[in-house]
């Protein structure tokens, strides 16, 4: 059985992922702000380094997989926080665990992106470029000047997906696999906060997948289970949309 680090483990999709993986007999290292094995703030450079150090200690420098679920939505207290958690909190944590994954056998990672990221494929926001340059100071400066949390959220998810695609090419050559799941609306506290928000609630309520419902965290956890299993041994660098057809609805003639 495997040792797997899961960020955002205390709530929503991350909690469902933990439940599924634990039921399958894996050993988990739960990472979150609180109520976890590793309590750390992935929005700051210091917090990320602490999370990496504590994870490495907990797995004895040998890790089989990482599932990066931690994220904040459009109702986050600041736009900088959206970029800090959703992009840098994923990429710096994964980079810091790369050697531990290599030391394990057939290391794997899954990043929870979002269908929102694909909306930006044709014309990425300049904030996405700053993130992909790994220039956190520049990205945060742009965030300070922005008043559009939705664009920042989409940019963070676009950028983290591109990061994952780039990494998968490098990792594939080393026997590691990295895939991205792009969920549509999923019933979690993050989604509920958007629905309840006066600025975004109406738009979120009206943006419904062709299947006519939101997903539930277990449906995303099933996808994670597949991507970490040997059944997906030849799947690397993929973006798996678990979104009730939302991406197909928005980008019908492209893929
Ligand atoms: P959630 O709010 O239920 O869970 C997010 C978890 O991340 C929480 O436990 C929270 O404490 C943790 N987290 C937030 N900031 C953190 C920080 N600075 N350091 C460490 N941990 C932190 O939300 P969710 O809906 O389960 O979201 C999980 C992932 O799925 C996120 O990346 C989100 O963007 C993505 N996603 C969600 C939806 C949706 O509709 N729910 C859709 C697409 C993508």
């Amino acid at each position: 059985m495997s040792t797997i680090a899961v960020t955002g483990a205390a709530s929503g999709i991350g909690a469902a992922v933990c439940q599924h993986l634990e039921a399958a007999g894996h050993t988990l290292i739960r990472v979150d702000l609180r109520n976890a094995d590793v309590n750390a703030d992935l929005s700051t450079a210091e917090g990320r380094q602490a999370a990496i150090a504590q994870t490495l200690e907990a797995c004895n420098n040998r890790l089989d997989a990482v599932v990066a679920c931690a994220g904040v939505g459009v109702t986050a207290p600041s736009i900088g926080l959206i970029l800090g958690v959703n992009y840098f909190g994923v990429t710096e944590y994964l980079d810091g665990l790369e050697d531990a994954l290599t030391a394990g056998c057939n290391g794997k990672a899954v990043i929870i992106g979002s269908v929102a990221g694909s909306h930006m494929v044709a014309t990425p926001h300049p904030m996405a470029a700053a993130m992909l340059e790994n220039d956190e100071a520049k990205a945060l400066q742009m965030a300070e000047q922005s008043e559009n949390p939705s664009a920042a959220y989409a940019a963070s998810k676009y950028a983290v997906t591109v990061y994952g695609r780039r990494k998968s090419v490098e990792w594939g050559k080393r026997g590691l696999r990295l895939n991205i799941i792009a969920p549509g609306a999923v019933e979690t506290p993050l989604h509920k906060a958007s629905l309840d928000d006066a600025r975004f609630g109406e738009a979120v309520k009206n943006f419904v997948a062709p299947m006519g419902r939101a997903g539930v965290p277990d449906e995303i956890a099933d996808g994670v289970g597949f991507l970490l299993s040997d059944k997906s041994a030849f799947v690397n660098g993929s973006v798996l949309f678990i979104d009730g057809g939302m991406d197909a609805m928005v980008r019908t003639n492209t893929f």
Side-chain angles (χ1 to χ4, degrees):
M1 284 298 132
S2 301
T3 301
I4 304 172
V6 181
T7 72
S11 175
I13 292 169
V17 165
C18 287
Q19 218 168 41
H20 282 228
L21 295 176
E22 200 159 58
H26 300 296
T27 301
L28 298 184
I29 302 168
R30 293 176 167 81
V31 183
D32 210 301
L33 285 168
R34 54 193 78 82
N35 303 323
D37 304 310
V38 171
N39 294 313
D41 182 355
L42 293 169
S43 73
T44 68
E46 307 76 53
R48 291 171 210 139
Q49 287 308 314
I52 292 164
Q54 289 176 51
T55 304
L56 288 174
E57 197 184 334
C59 73
N60 211 4
N61 296 315
R62 260 182 87 96
L63 199 54
D64 296 294
V66 178
V67 186
C69 296
V72 292
V74 289
T75 62
S78 77
I79 291 181
L81 198 63
I82 296 175
L83 310 190
V85 183
N86 296 4
Y87 183 79
F88 295 101
V90 175
T91 60
E92 197 172 326
Y93 185 67
L94 273 176
D95 288 349
L97 296 176
E98 210 171 299
D99 288 345
L101 282 167
T102 312
C105 214
N106 305 319
K108 303 162 203 78
V110 176
I111 294 173
I112 305 298
S114 170
V115 71
S118 67
H119 301 166
M120 202 163 264
V121 166
T123 44
H125 192 282
M127 262 189 261
M131 285 182 264
L132 285 165
E133 284 163 21
N134 206 26
D135 192 338
E136 190 166 3
K138 184 172 164 187
L140 291 182
Q141 196 181 19
M142 292 169 103
E144 263 174 37
Q145 286 156 7
S146 167
E147 288 173 4
N148 190 344
S150 300
Y153 182 78
S156 73
K157 292 300 186 176
Y158 166 80
V160 85
T161 303
V162 172
Y163 160 89
R165 300 263 296 164
R166 289 178 179 172
K167 267 286 167 202
S168 70
V169 176
E170 190 189 316
W171 280 20
K173 295 174 187 159
R174 297 164 58 182
L176 304 174
R177 295 196 289 120
L178 195 163
N179 292 287
I180 301 105
I181 290 181
V186 182
E187 289 169 9
T188 67
L190 181 153
H191 183 58
K192 172 100 173 51
S194 311
L195 278 171
D196 292 346
D197 190 283
R199 295 163 298 168
F200 309 109
E202 202 56 27
V204 174
K205 201 168 72 188
N206 293 331
F207 190 47
V208 180
M211 290 183 71
R213 67 170 176 88
V216 293
D218 282 340
E219 292 175 311
I220 311 303
D222 279 332
V224 171
F226 167 70
L227 289 172
L228 295 186
S229 76
D230 289 343
K231 292 192 173 157
S232 63
F234 199 49
V235 182
N236 182 36
S238 288
V239 182
L240 174 59
F241 290 92
I242 305 182
D243 67 348
M246 205 175 245
D247 184 60
M249 179 177 79
V250 175
R251 300 189 306 148
T252 308
N253 297 317
T254 189
F255 61 91

